[in-house]
Coordinates of all heavy atoms in Angstrom, one line a residue:
P6 N 83.4 112.1 75.5 CA 83.9 111.1 74.7 C 85.2 111.5 74.0 O 85.3 112.7 73.7 CB 82.8 110.8 73.7 CG 81.6 111.3 74.3 CD 82.0 112.5 75.2
A7 N 86.1 110.6 73.7 CA 87.4 111.0 73.1 C 87.2 111.7 71.8 O 88.0 112.5 71.4 CB 88.2 109.7 72.9
E8 N 86.1 111.4 71.0 CA 86.0 112.0 69.7 C 85.2 113.3 69.7 O 85.1 114.0 68.7 CB 85.3 111.0 68.7 CG 83.9 110.7 69.1 CD 83.7 109.6 70.2 OE1 84.7 109.0 70.6 OE2 82.6 109.3 70.6
Q9 N 84.7 113.7 70.9 CA 83.9 115.0 71.0 C 84.8 116.1 71.4 O 85.6 116.0 72.3 CB 82.8 114.8 72.0 CG 81.9 116.0 72.0 CD 80.8 115.7 73.1 OE1 81.0 115.1 74.1 NE2 79.7 116.3 72.9
A10 N 84.6 117.2 70.7 CA 85.4 118.4 71.1 C 84.7 119.7 70.6 O 84.0 119.6 69.6 CB 86.8 118.4 70.4
S11 N 85.0 120.8 71.3 CA 84.6 122.1 70.8 C 85.7 123.0 71.2 O 86.4 122.7 72.2 CB 83.2 122.5 71.4 OG 83.3 122.6 72.7
S12 N 85.9 124.1 70.6 CA 87.0 124.9 70.9 C 86.4 126.3 71.3 O 85.4 126.7 70.8 CB 88.0 125.1 69.8 OG 87.4 125.7 68.7
S13 N 87.1 126.9 72.3 CA 86.7 128.3 72.7 C 88.0 129.0 73.1 O 88.9 128.3 73.5 CB 85.7 128.3 73.8 OG 86.3 127.7 74.9
V14 N 88.0 130.2 73.0 CA 89.2 131.0 73.3 C 88.8 132.0 74.5 O 87.8 132.6 74.4 CB 89.7 131.9 72.1 CG1 90.9 132.7 72.5 CG2 90.1 130.9 71.0
T15 N 89.6 132.0 75.5 CA 89.4 132.9 76.6 C 90.7 133.7 76.8 O 91.8 133.2 76.6 CB 89.1 132.2 77.9 OG1 90.1 131.3 78.2 CG2 87.8 131.4 77.8
L16 N 90.6 134.9 77.3 CA 91.7 135.7 77.6 C 91.8 135.9 79.1 O 90.8 135.7 79.8 CB 91.5 137.1 77.0 CG 91.4 137.1 75.5 CD1 91.1 138.5 75.0 CD2 92.7 136.6 74.8
G17 N 92.9 136.2 79.6 CA 93.1 136.4 81.1 C 94.3 135.7 81.5 O 95.2 135.2 80.7
P18 N 94.5 135.6 82.8 CA 95.7 134.8 83.3 C 95.7 133.4 82.9 O 94.6 132.8 82.8 CB 95.6 135.0 84.8 CG 94.2 135.4 85.1 CD 93.7 136.0 83.9
P19 N 96.9 132.8 82.7 CA 96.9 131.4 82.3 C 96.3 130.5 83.4 O 96.4 130.7 84.6 CB 98.4 131.1 82.2 CG 99.2 132.4 82.4 CD 98.3 133.4 82.9
V20 N 95.6 129.5 82.9 CA 95.0 128.5 83.8 C 96.1 127.6 84.2 O 96.9 127.1 83.3 CB 93.9 127.7 83.0 CG1 93.4 126.6 83.8 CG2 92.7 128.7 82.7
S21 N 96.2 127.2 85.4 CA 97.3 126.3 85.9 C 96.7 124.9 86.0 O 95.6 124.6 86.5 CB 97.7 126.7 87.3 OG 96.7 126.7 88.3
V22 N 97.5 123.9 85.5 CA 97.1 122.5 85.4 C 98.1 121.7 86.0 O 99.3 121.8 85.6 CB 96.8 122.1 83.9 CG1 96.4 120.7 83.8 CG2 95.8 123.1 83.2
L23 N 97.7 120.8 86.9 CA 98.7 119.8 87.5 C 98.3 118.5 86.8 O 97.2 118.0 86.9 CB 98.5 119.6 89.0 CG 99.4 118.7 89.7 CD1 100.9 118.9 89.4 CD2 99.1 118.7 91.2

Side-chain angles (χ1 to χ4, degrees):
E8 66 278 357
Q9 183 181 33
S11 64
S12 61
S13 62
V14 177
T15 59
L16 299 176
V20 172
S21 61
V22 181
L23 180 55

